Every structure is written in structure tokens, then in C-alpha cells.
Amino acid sequence: MEIVVSTYHLGLGGTESYTLTVAEQLQRLGHDVTVFYVELGPGVDIGRQFGLELRNREDDLPVTCDVVFAQESITSYQLADRYPTTPQAFAVHADEYDLSVPPQLPGVVQALVVLNDRIERQVRALALTPEIVRLRQPVDTKRFYPRTALNDPPKRALLLGNYVDLDRRDLLMQACHASGIELQHLGATSGKWATQPELELCGADIVIGKARVIVEAMASGRAAYVYDHNGGDGWVTPERYLLLESDNFGGQAEPTARNLEGLRADLAAYSPEPRERVDAPLREMSRLARLQWTSEGRAMGFAAEIVRLRAELDRANAELARRQARPVRRAVRSVVRRLGPRKDQSAQSV
């Protein structure tokens, strides 16, 4: 089959990891796969390493194709216009952004792909709902696999995510420091990217994040801890696996807040055993999930950028206020100096 997979931005987030993984696996199955993107990102280099056909101009796309698999509404509409008679599947990745809402026009999309129960509930509430296909997050077990043994007690934790910042990251750093664990942060808000996450993961005993980060961490034999900007559900264990998977390991499965003491208690309960116990579900995910999800990173990246810019703006406004106050203070001191002697002379004359 000729398959066109589309995503607006091709960066280094979880959605991009999903897109590249699925496109590569479909290609291995013998399909002709073209990845269409609009906004250039560092994920393009990874896609080229995978041997994928990457195109960002419509004129370079196949004249016809058998299936379009869109990850967001922008390219969904764009490719529906280019391939008007081609069936289209649409992966719904988030419930926070309009970008992730599939086109609400009859006939544009024939199937919706959802990767967790929370998104499925939202999709079923849409005004127009085509066929819904519930899949699981795919993971490439030839790329993500246990390379090193876990330390007991743990020595190093990796926070892998693009949106954990400010107070939530500081809280985690305090908990790790108090537990004697070195914490490294890779992601947009840290200014450092994980261009080879399969290697970064195996350098850590504990991997902290959400969604695909958790799936890839478990495949790499790491102890996985769900914690991100939306919340924190803690350790992934066999008993809690189905509950956390239904929320896409998004930190919203349970109404439990993680404060400093809670994080320290969780870290103290670390054990390398879950690496062996979650092996069977991972094989099932790898077998079942051969489709995709993508294009959420751009909208969430803007949100993270706003937080950073707001902090910079606050600092700039504070500095501007200090600078503006200096001449006022000097003028006040000058007036006081001029008025001071007059008052003394007036008192002497009396």
C-alpha cells in the first residue's frame, strides 16, 4: 500500500517518536510510506537515519495513495483536498487543543485512532464521530531494550520531557537531591535535547516523564515514574499498569497530588524488580500498535515558551522599574537637599 503519514511539526517530542516509529515499522512490513510535514524540526534527521521518505512540499508527494494517516487537523484538511477520494485515518492525541480535534465535516475522516481511554471518552462526545479504533502506544523493541542492569540503590534519574518547568521541576530536583539521586533533565525547557533517547534511557536507573517516555523506558528495562506538567501518578507497577495505561501515562489517572514528601517517599520505595514484571505487556504493545500519533508538540511547545517568556518579561519589567525609579529617587534627594537649608534658615530667623 502507498501510505502518506502527516504531521505539522517534526521535532523531538513524544508525538514525533510515535510518528517515526510507526512509519518505519510500516515500511518494514513492505508498505510504501511517505512522511509529510509542514514545519521543519530536528526529527527530520532521525527520520532520514531510519531511511524514511520525508517531504514538506505537496508537489513532492505521491500522485495517488491508498491511505492518509493525519496527526492533526491542519494537514488533515490539506491532504483531504489533495486526495479527495482517498480514505483518511486521524490520530487523536490530546484533549486540550483544538488542533487535535478531527475535522467535523462528513466524509473527510473515515476512522479515528485513539491510544488511551481518556481520549476515547472525549472523541465519543464529538458532534461527528467516525469509526473509533483503540490502539496502544507502539515501541520499537529492537531500538529500546535493556542494555544495562539497574543499580540498587538508584544512582541516577532522567527527567525526559519538554514541558516540566519552574516549580514542578524544582520540586523533583529537591526530592532527588534529598534521596541522594542525581537528576538530569532533557527536553525543551531544559535547553538540552535527547537526540538518542534509547542510549540516554539506559544510562539511568529511574526514568521520569509521561506518555511515550514511559513506554520506551519500560522497553529499555528502566524503573518508570509518571510525572509531568499535568500531574504525577508515580511508579508503573503490574498492579497499576492498566489504570495508568488508560490515561496514556499522563499523570491524571488518580486525583493524588505529589508534594515533596510524597516524591521522597516514592523514591525511597524504588526497586529494580518492575523491569522483569512488565516485560509481557510491552511485547503485547509492540505487537498490537502499528499505527501512529503525532503533532501535539508544537501547541504544547508554545505553552512552555509562553511560561518562559512571561518569566523573562517579569524580570525585565522589574529591572525597568528599578531603572525608572533611580532618577526619581535622585530628584527627591535633590529637592530634600535644597529644601533642608531653607527650613534651617527660617528657624534661625524666628
Side-chain angles (χ1 to χ4, degrees):
M1 294 180 65
E2 184 80 51
I3 303 173
V4 175
V5 181
S6 71
T7 179
Y8 188 80
H9 177 72
L10 199 57
L12 290 176
T15 10
E16 290 81 359
S17 173
Y18 174 91
T19 301
L20 296 175
T21 296
V22 170
E24 183 189 23
Q25 296 304 312
L26 288 172
Q27 184 171 263
R28 284 184 177 181
L29 291 173
H31 300 289
D32 293 322
V33 181
T34 303
V35 178
F36 175 64
Y37 65 95
V38 176
E39 189 176 81
L40 179 66
V44 170
D45 293 333
I46 297 177
R48 288 171 180 158
Q49 293 174 14
F50 289 173
L52 294 171
E53 295 289 336
L54 307 174
R55 301 288 183 265
N56 71 335
R57 296 176 65 252
E58 276 196 51
D59 291 344
D60 295 332
L61 290 174
V63 176
T64 62
C65 68
D66 298 301
V67 177
V68 169
F69 189 34
Q71 313 304 306
E72 33 62 44
S73 57
I74 296 174
T75 59
S76 173
Y77 285 117
Q78 188 174 352
L79 295 183
D81 182 68
R82 177 176 176 82
Y83 301 112
T85 61
T86 300
Q88 181 180 133
F90 186 105
V92 185
H93 296 301
D95 54 4
E96 305 104 318
Y97 306 106
D98 289 342
L99 186 74
S100 297
V101 176
Q104 295 296 284
L105 295 175
V108 175
V109 174
Q110 284 68 51
L112 300 179
V113 175
V114 298
L115 302 170
N116 58 82
D117 295 349
R118 173 163 50 83
I119 296 299
E120 182 175 359
R121 288 192 295 269
Q122 184 208 8
V123 165
R124 292 193 181 281
L126 294 174
L128 183 64
T129 303
E131 177 186 357
I132 298 174
V133 181
R134 169 66 158 96
L135 298 177
R136 297 182 185 272
Q137 284 278 10
V139 61
D140 185 351
T141 54
K142 294 184 181 297
R143 182 182 174 201
F144 294 94
Y145 62 90
R147 301 167 190 252
T148 58
L150 297 178
N151 292 301
D152 192 7
K155 296 181 178 180
R156 180 171 175 264
L158 173 64
L159 171 60
L160 190 56
N162 292 329
Y163 312 110
V164 181
D165 202 4
L166 303 175
D167 292 345
R168 292 193 64 79
R169 183 173 62 184
D170 292 343
L171 190 67
L172 190 59
M173 292 180 68
Q174 292 177 45
C176 287
H177 179 74
S179 302
I181 300 172
E182 175 191 353
L183 177 66
Q184 180 185 12
H185 182 196
L186 296 178
T189 53
S190 71
K192 300 177 182 178
W193 297 91
T195 55
Q196 290 185 295
E198 62 272 27
L199 300 182
E200 296 287 353
L201 289 172
C202 287
D205 299 307
I206 301 170
V207 176
I208 304 167
K210 73 177 184 73
R212 286 192 56 76
V213 167
I214 298 299
V215 176
E216 292 169 351
M218 290 189 294
S220 301
R222 305 299 95 184
Y225 191 92
V226 178
Y227 181 89
D228 205 82
H229 67 294
N230 282 331
D233 287 325
W235 295 114
V236 181
T237 64
E239 296 79 16
R240 306 179 69 221
Y241 178 84
L242 291 178
L243 171 67
L244 301 187
E245 191 275 341
S246 69
D247 184 57
N248 194 33
F249 307 103
Q252 304 172 75
E254 297 178 317
T256 304
R258 284 296 192 279
N259 55 20
L260 179 58
E261 291 305 316
L263 287 171
R264 291 180 62 181
D266 283 348
L267 291 174
Y270 162 89
S271 170
E273 293 180 2
R275 177 175 64 89
E276 298 298 332
R277 292 188 292 175
V278 298
D279 185 54
L282 292 177
R283 289 197 298 268
E284 180 67 5
M285 283 192 295
S286 179
R287 183 183 71 82
L288 292 177
R290 297 294 184 192
L291 289 168
Q292 37 240 94
W293 111 326
T294 190
S295 176
E296 157 57 5
R298 181 171 178 264
M300 297 184 71
F302 281 143
E305 183 68 15
I306 289 172
V307 172
R308 291 195 299 273
L309 292 176
R310 184 178 297 157
E312 292 179 9
L313 180 61
D314 290 342
R315 290 192 294 268
N317 286 337
E319 178 63 23
L320 179 61
R322 286 193 294 270
R323 292 183 179 181
Q324 291 175 338
R326 289 171 187 167
V328 174
R329 288 195 295 268
R330 287 197 294 268
V332 170
R333 287 195 294 267
S334 176
V335 170
V336 170
R337 285 195 295 269
R338 289 199 302 271
L339 293 179
R342 293 178 183 176
K343 290 182 180 179
D344 294 342
Q345 292 172 5
S346 210
Q348 292 174 2
S349 64
V350 174

